[in-house]
Amino acid sequence: MKKMIIAREPVDDSHLPSHLHPVIKQIYATRNVCHADELNNSAATLLDFKLFKDIDKASQLLIDALHAQSKILIVGDFDADGATSTATLMQGLAMFGFTHLDYLVPDRFSLGYGLSPALAEQIVTMQPDLVITVDNGISCVAGIDIVKAAGIKVLVTDHHLQGEQLPNADAIVNPNRHDCDFPSKSVAGVGVAFYLLIALRSALREQGYFNQHPMPNIADLLDIVALGTVADVVALDANNRTLVHQGLARIRSGKTRPGITALIEVANRNAARLSASDFGFSLAPRLNAAGRLDDMSLGIACLLSTDINQARRIAGELDSLNFARREIEQGMQVEAQAVLDRLAFKEDSVPDAICLYQDDWHQGVIGILAGRLKEKYHRPTVIFAGGENGEIKGSCRSIEGLHMRDLLEGLNTAQPGLINKFGGHAMAAGLSINEQQFTEFKRAFDSAVSEQLSEESKRCIVFTDGELPNDCFSMDFAQLLKQSGPWGQQFPEPIFEHTFEVIQQRIVGEKHLKLVLKHQSARLVDAIAFGIDVKAWPDTEAQFVKVAYQLDINEFRGKCSLQLIVRELEKVA
């Protein structure tokens, strides 16, 4: 879908520090930074752990387990947030002296998400004393009942939205439970796990535990926390920005674990210049590939590795899995596009929702496919793949203006039995339905989206921060932008706009457009548009183009140069 390039309206930025560069100051103001304190990314500004509901109960459960040296089983999830959450508690609890630690990640294809009843039966046979869920648990009512009935204690740490009923756990630490006062509702699962360790250290300090034992430096885990936070695409509010900033700072200074070093190397990134976008586009996909195609235990093993050579071997395996994932995804995209082409979408007739199902699509990749189609058509999208016993599994992606999990909850309430199970967030969710009810679900989904989606939400807009002053079109300002982050979800990296003269253009790698553009200052600059519509470009008649771009620094063979990352371009008559 063609995107409109629109500059944000200027807003009052007088409340922000005067020493800031005026362009940076305006960028912050348009991203709703209301106080200078929100720009302070020191660890001391992190929100107080005591604001979490049940955090005292959770700490006491862990203290009791520590003194008894109980067997602890961490139940994770098969995405990057789940992997980093699991690794955070495995390494973090070991710092305190826990010796009987193990973890379990459900098989995506046979067991599905979370502490399901089937996984619970498996856990009971393992006979742990305490089960800790990370990045799951808030909706696992039946599974937790089975574990509790076997006399096993359960501590839930999660960040997903609460349903009608809370599970019968001994403690539930989740900022999105209805009675929790923790202000950052966007903290990722790995952030919740990190806060649990902070609370445990505080409680043990009060009890004098560290008079006889070394006090752990929990900040050593911030590189994992930063990676998981960005990978889960949670909103980068002030608290999450601090977590990511602190983690990036450790990595850039060389204070990171072998597993993350190996992921950086295999992704051909520079650790000293690593950015939040590198987490999202380079490291996280490789980590996620394990959970999508194989077993996320491989990704967790990479994060837990203490030997760089072993970590490099595992990272190489993850890289190979990611390559295979891309090939599967590309094949699925072609098939999905063929279906959509048969529906003959036109620019002005895209339906309000997209809902597709194909039995042989890969369950591990449908979320990515849903995201790709959502980006292309700017519509809420759900993609289903075949499952087992007549059940199919779906992955949903939404756009601003439609809360996906609430929509699914509404469908479940209005038509009991239509959805077998569901869960998620505003922008992403998962569900399972009976295959024979796909047509009925599609009809209900399409209708619900049409009722809730406003015409304004359907507009596909690239909002920019306007035109850059000529003196900011430079390497120095590009570096300043990088230092002014971290940028990410709901705190977007600055995008600028300008009309350039086209000097050169060519397709590279079959689907990317490489340009040489002339700025009004007469400066020539390289630009790259990834995943361009090759049917439209190169356009040999386009002498001038209006470009929405990110100011970037390209590093090649040790040399740095200014580069534009094109987000949208329009031919100018």
Side-chain angles (χ1 to χ4, degrees):
M1 174 175 284
K2 189 65 178 175
K3 298 177 181 177
M4 296 177 285
I5 300 174
I6 298 178
R8 292 184 176 89
E9 291 292 331
V11 298
D12 178 29
D13 58 14
S14 60
H15 56 286
L16 296 177
S18 58
H19 65 79
L20 290 173
H21 188 290
V23 175
I24 301 293
K25 192 175 175 182
Q26 181 62 199
I27 287 169
Y28 284 147
T30 56
R31 284 152 181 76
N32 299 314
V33 175
C34 300
H35 305 287
D37 291 348
E38 296 177 51
L39 304 175
N40 182 353
N41 289 323
S42 69
T45 65
L46 286 172
L47 293 168
D48 190 345
F49 70 85
K50 294 177 183 175
L51 296 171
F52 272 106
K53 179 75 173 179
D54 271 10
I55 199 75
D56 292 339
K57 283 186 186 178
S59 297
Q60 193 57 52
L61 276 172
L62 289 174
I63 290 171
D64 293 344
L66 177 61
H67 291 321
Q69 281 301 328
S70 301
K71 290 174 59 180
I72 294 179
L73 180 66
I74 298 164
V75 176
D77 185 23
F78 37 65
D79 68 359
D81 189 16
T84 52
S85 301
T86 301
T88 294
L89 283 193
M90 285 292 293
Q91 293 196 337
L93 291 175
M95 292 177 181
F96 288 91
F98 289 86
T99 55
H100 302 295
L101 295 169
D102 201 359
Y103 66 90
L104 181 64
V105 180
D107 179 82
R108 173 179 219 128
F109 309 105
S110 62
L111 294 174
Y113 168 79
L115 207 169
S116 62
L119 186 68
E121 298 288 358
Q122 183 179 337
I123 290 170
V124 170
T125 66
M126 298 171 71
Q127 298 182 324
D129 300 304
L130 171 64
V131 167
I132 307 175
T133 69
V134 290
D135 193 33
N136 76 94
I138 197 68
S139 61
C140 303
V141 175
I144 289 174
D145 280 346
I146 292 171
V147 173
K148 286 284 292 177
I152 301 167
K153 293 182 179 179
V154 178
L155 164 55
V156 168
T157 74
D158 200 353
H159 70 127
H160 293 89
L161 298 176
Q162 175 190 334
E164 290 184 8
Q165 180 183 355
L166 284 174
N168 180 33
D170 294 274
I172 302 172
V173 183
N174 182 340
N176 285 303
R177 58 182 290 180
H178 298 160
D179 55 356
C180 182
D181 294 329
F182 191 75
S184 175
K185 303 302 180 183
S186 300
V187 64
V190 68
V192 179
F194 182 70
Y195 266 100
L196 177 63
L197 295 173
I198 294 174
L200 174 61
R201 185 178 62 179
S202 175
L204 287 171
R205 184 192 293 121
E206 289 181 0
Q207 295 181 11
Y209 180 78
F210 300 117
N211 295 336
Q212 286 82 36
H213 302 86
M215 184 183 299
N217 182 9
I218 301 173
D220 287 345
L221 299 166
L222 280 166
D223 54 346
I224 308 183
V225 176
L227 171 57
T229 298
V230 174
D232 211 43
V233 203
V234 293
L236 287 194
D237 58 16
N239 201 64
N240 280 338
R241 290 200 301 276
T242 295
L243 290 172
V244 174
H245 172 88
Q246 290 293 324
L248 281 170
R250 297 188 69 82
I251 294 171
R252 290 169 183 161
S253 65
K255 298 176 182 176
T256 189
R257 63 208 62 253
I260 289 182
T261 295
L263 286 171
I264 292 169
E265 290 174 353
V266 79
N268 293 316
R269 300 292 95 185
N270 184 336
R273 296 177 178 272
L274 203 73
S275 67
S277 63
D278 291 324
F279 280 149
F281 294 108
S282 297
L283 274 63
R286 288 168 170 82
L287 195 57
N288 269 323
R292 293 189 185 283
L293 301 189
D294 191 21
D295 180 357
M296 185 44 98
S297 295
L298 186 67
I300 297 170
C302 184
L303 295 174
L304 293 178
S305 177
T306 57
D307 177 77
I308 186 62
N309 292 317
Q310 180 195 46
R312 284 169 175 153
R313 286 194 297 272
I314 299 173
E317 292 183 56
L318 293 173
D319 191 51
S320 297
L321 284 171
N322 191 50
F323 181 80
R325 184 272 305 168
R326 286 201 302 266
E327 289 193 319
I328 293 169
E329 177 201 337
Q330 287 167 4
M332 288 168 60
Q333 276 190 263
V334 170
E335 293 171 353
Q337 192 59 53
V339 173
L340 297 176
D341 287 345
R342 288 198 297 273
L343 297 175
F345 288 171
K346 294 181 180 178
E347 191 71 23
D348 58 353
S349 64
V350 177
D352 291 343
I354 295 172
C355 182
L356 300 175
Y357 162 56
Q358 192 161 308
D359 179 70
D360 61 352
W361 279 345
H362 197 292
Q363 287 180 23
V365 184
I366 53 175
I368 296 176
L369 178 59
R372 302 280 193 234
L373 295 178
K374 182 264 294 186
E375 286 296 322
K376 182 170 184 176
Y377 293 105
H378 192 66
R379 292 293 186 268
T381 300
V382 55
I383 302 295
F384 285 95
E388 296 180 344
N389 303 317
E391 187 177 73
I392 61 177
K393 297 181 179 180
S395 189
C396 314
R397 297 295 182 270
S398 194
I399 61 176
E400 292 293 335
L402 187 135
H403 194 296
M404 183 59 73
R405 189 201 172 279
D406 285 358
L407 182 139
L408 294 178
E409 187 168 32
L411 288 180
N412 189 52
T413 301
Q415 296 181 248
L418 180 62
I419 300 174
N420 295 341
K421 56 186 176 183
F422 68 94
H425 300 291
M427 305 304 288
L431 75 159
S432 61
I433 64 174
N434 295 326
E435 182 180 17
Q436 62 188 21
Q437 292 183 289
F438 170 74
T439 301
E440 184 182 354
F441 174 85
K442 182 181 186 308
R443 188 183 306 113
F445 181 75
D446 290 348
S447 176
V449 170
S450 294
E451 289 177 9
Q452 297 183 30
L453 201 62
S454 69
E455 290 301 316
E456 181 69 20
S457 296
K458 296 178 193 177
R459 296 174 67 207
C460 195
I461 299 172
V462 176
F463 285 106
T464 77
D465 295 284
E467 294 223 12
L468 265 180
N470 285 353
D471 62 345
C472 292
F473 199 76
S474 67
M475 288 273 290
D476 287 344
F477 188 74
Q479 189 59 47
L480 180 61
L481 282 174
K482 286 187 176 294
Q483 295 169 355
S484 301
W487 311 101
Q489 184 73 8
Q490 294 187 30
F491 197 74
E493 190 164 348
I495 296 177
F496 306 101
E497 63 179 74
H498 188 73
T499 299
F500 296 88
E501 183 180 353
V502 180
I503 304 301
Q504 293 178 17
Q505 56 178 317
R506 70 183 192 278
I507 296 294
V508 295
E510 298 184 356
K511 58 182 179 180
H512 311 309
L513 178 65
K514 186 78 172 176
L515 299 146
V516 177
L517 302 174
K518 187 176 182 180
H519 188 259
Q520 67 182 21
S521 63
R523 177 170 186 167
L524 297 182
V525 63
D526 290 332
I528 182 79
F530 295 106
I532 196 73
D533 183 355
V534 295
K535 296 176 184 177
W537 297 91
D539 188 327
T540 55
E541 297 181 359
Q543 292 183 304
F544 292 89
V545 287
K546 182 179 180 182
V547 182
Y549 66 90
Q550 290 171 293
L551 200 63
D552 190 43
I553 297 174
N554 183 39
E555 186 177 352
F556 183 67
R557 293 178 179 172
K559 293 184 178 180
C560 294
S561 60
L562 196 67
Q563 176 180 255
L564 309 186
I565 306 296
V566 176
R567 293 306 176 201
E568 191 64 31
L569 71 169
E570 299 173 353
K571 288 175 280 190
V572 177

